[in-house]
Amino acid sequence: MTARSPAPPLARPHRDDVLIAVAGLAGGLVLWRLGLFTTFPRGELPGGLSLLPLAVMSGAELLRRTAQPWALWLATAALAADLVIGSLLATVLMFTDVVYAAVLYGPPGLARRVPPATVLVTIAVTLAALFALRGPEALTLGIVAALVSVGPAFTGSVVRDHRDRAVAERLRAEQTALLAEMDRVQAVTAERARMARELHDVVANHLSAIAVHSTAAQSLDDPAATREALAVIRENSVQGLAEMRRLIGLLRDAREGEEVSAAPTLEGLDALLAQARAHGGADGLGFVLRDERSGGPLPAPVELAAYRIVQEALTNALKHASPGPVTVCLTGPGEDGGPLTVRVTSPLGARPGPRAPGSGAGLIGMRERVGLLGGDFSAGPAAGPGGGERWEVRAVLPVAEERTEARTEGTRGRSGG
């Protein structure tokens, strides 16, 4: 046998409801004491029995906000008794307030049913008065019934609609603010990720060379080799600082008259490979560039992504590749708007001598760059010529979409100018 759940406790009357009930009861007592009745039963002055509907109506006022529809039914019964025993104006006025509160504070179903119900009751009272009195005073009784029931009901309906609309607008504003905050957080996170990728690509190449040569200088007891390693370290330090200044200049707001250096393009691959040859020649690494591109110029985002991918792949080759050729191959895009394919292959195997540690952020950054352009990226072992195993980095960068967006932006700029 399951235990019954306890009934929910009744809500305490609102402070305003208590004040309304006390004021109505006090007003009704004054009217009764002065003998100011609205209707008299059988032409006689009502006695103290008329105070009973007044007290019941005051009790309904206490429940006007917390116990609908019971307060409305109680008030309706009290009004009927008041009209039969002898009506006090205070009892009638409190009934109108209970009808108003039933629509405003009651359940949604009650708020929908009360206004049309008051209209039907008013029509019924008017027709009954016409049938009984057969005079113009019947219309007056119908007007009074409308003022007592229809007016408060529709007033409560209008107020409730405005209140619900205000609540909905407030919720919509809060949701809009929440979505705006989520968009701001996502934008900040995306910008931080972009800055992290750019910083890694700019600094990792130079710092890797510095780490390799400093480790070699420590392990070799040769003054000439040490001087050569220190020269390479100094060169990479200066170039790294220059790249950092360029990146900081891009991140800051450019002042009037101040020029900010442009982002690197694929035209700088020759210099990038020459630098890699200078760093990896002592380790038996050879670097070859095969540029098999066709078609027109590439959009800036595609060129920057391709350059950074090659730069990071060469950095990884300097860190981890065994002696042998490192090949950078660029193919596409054609005149039909095909993708640009970047492929960097390096020997895979044991490498003698010192090696710089890796953090694993390079592959993640390359994958993110390709993903932002909607391309495909892969990195891993692959079969090389002659059956040897090689490490291959392959990126397919869409070009047609970027060109379309660039033409669209150019058209907007000309139309705006």
Side-chain angles (χ1 to χ4, degrees), residues 30 55 67 85 117 140 184 186 201 209 233-234 243 252 302 313 337 385-386:
V30 171
I85 297 173
T140 304
R184 186 192 68 81
Q186 292 177 356
D201 294 341
I233 290 173
R234 182 185 182 282
E243 289 286 343
R252 287 178 176 173
V302 176

Side-chain angles (χ1 to χ4, degrees), residues 400-412:
E401 294 81 357
E402 293 291 334
R403 284 177 173 170
T404 302
E405 292 180 3
R407 287 196 298 269
T408 304
E409 293 296 331
T411 305
R412 291 176 180 174

Side-chain angles (χ1 to χ4, degrees), residues 127-180:
L127 293 177
L130 286 174
F131 180 79
L133 301 177
R134 301 182 183 275
E137 59 272 13
L139 297 178
T140 304
L141 186 60
I143 294 174
V144 172
L147 293 176
V148 170
S149 60
V150 177
F154 279 91
T155 302
S157 179
V158 171
V159 175
R160 182 171 183 140
D161 290 341
H162 282 289
R163 185 193 63 183
D164 294 344
R165 193 176 298 113
V167 171
E169 292 295 334
R170 189 181 304 111
L171 291 176
R172 189 177 295 111
E174 292 177 355
Q175 292 175 355
T176 303
L178 180 60
L179 291 176

Side-chain angles (χ1 to χ4, degrees), residues 21-151:
V22 171
L25 180 61
L29 290 175
V30 171
L31 293 176
W32 174 80
R33 187 67 180 86
L34 297 176
L36 299 177
F37 291 90
T38 305
T39 60
F40 305 101
R42 298 184 302 274
E44 299 177 359
L45 187 65
L49 192 60
S50 59
L51 295 179
L52 180 60
L54 177 65
V56 174
M57 190 69 73
S58 299
E61 283 282 31
L62 290 175
L63 305 176
R64 64 190 290 272
R65 197 186 304 253
T66 59
Q68 294 289 353
W70 304 109
L72 180 61
W73 296 124
L74 190 63
T76 303
L79 179 66
D82 178 75
L83 295 176
V84 172
I85 297 173
S87 180
L88 290 171
L89 182 60
T91 304
V92 177
L93 292 179
M94 283 192 288
F95 174 78
T96 62
D97 181 70
V98 173
V99 174
Y100 169 81
V103 178
L104 182 59
Y105 302 114
L110 180 66
R112 289 191 302 267
R113 291 190 294 268
V114 168
T118 57
V119 173
L120 295 177
V121 170
T122 300
I123 294 175
V125 169
T126 304
L127 293 177
L130 286 174
F131 180 79
L133 301 177
R134 301 182 183 275
E137 59 272 13
L139 297 178
T140 304
L141 186 60
I143 294 174
V144 172
L147 293 176
V148 170
S149 60
V150 177

Side-chain angles (χ1 to χ4, degrees), residues 200 203-213 276 279-280 283 285 287 311-323 326 346-347 349-363:
H200 177 272
V203 178
N205 185 32
H206 301 292
L207 290 184
S208 298
I210 291 173
V212 170
H213 285 84
H279 297 162
D283 297 325
L285 295 175
F287 296 87
Q311 184 184 42
E312 181 60 30
L314 294 179
T315 300
N316 291 338
L318 289 172
K319 290 181 182 179
H320 310 293
S322 59
V326 178
S346 56
R351 172 181 174 176
R355 303 179 65 178
S359 63
L363 292 178

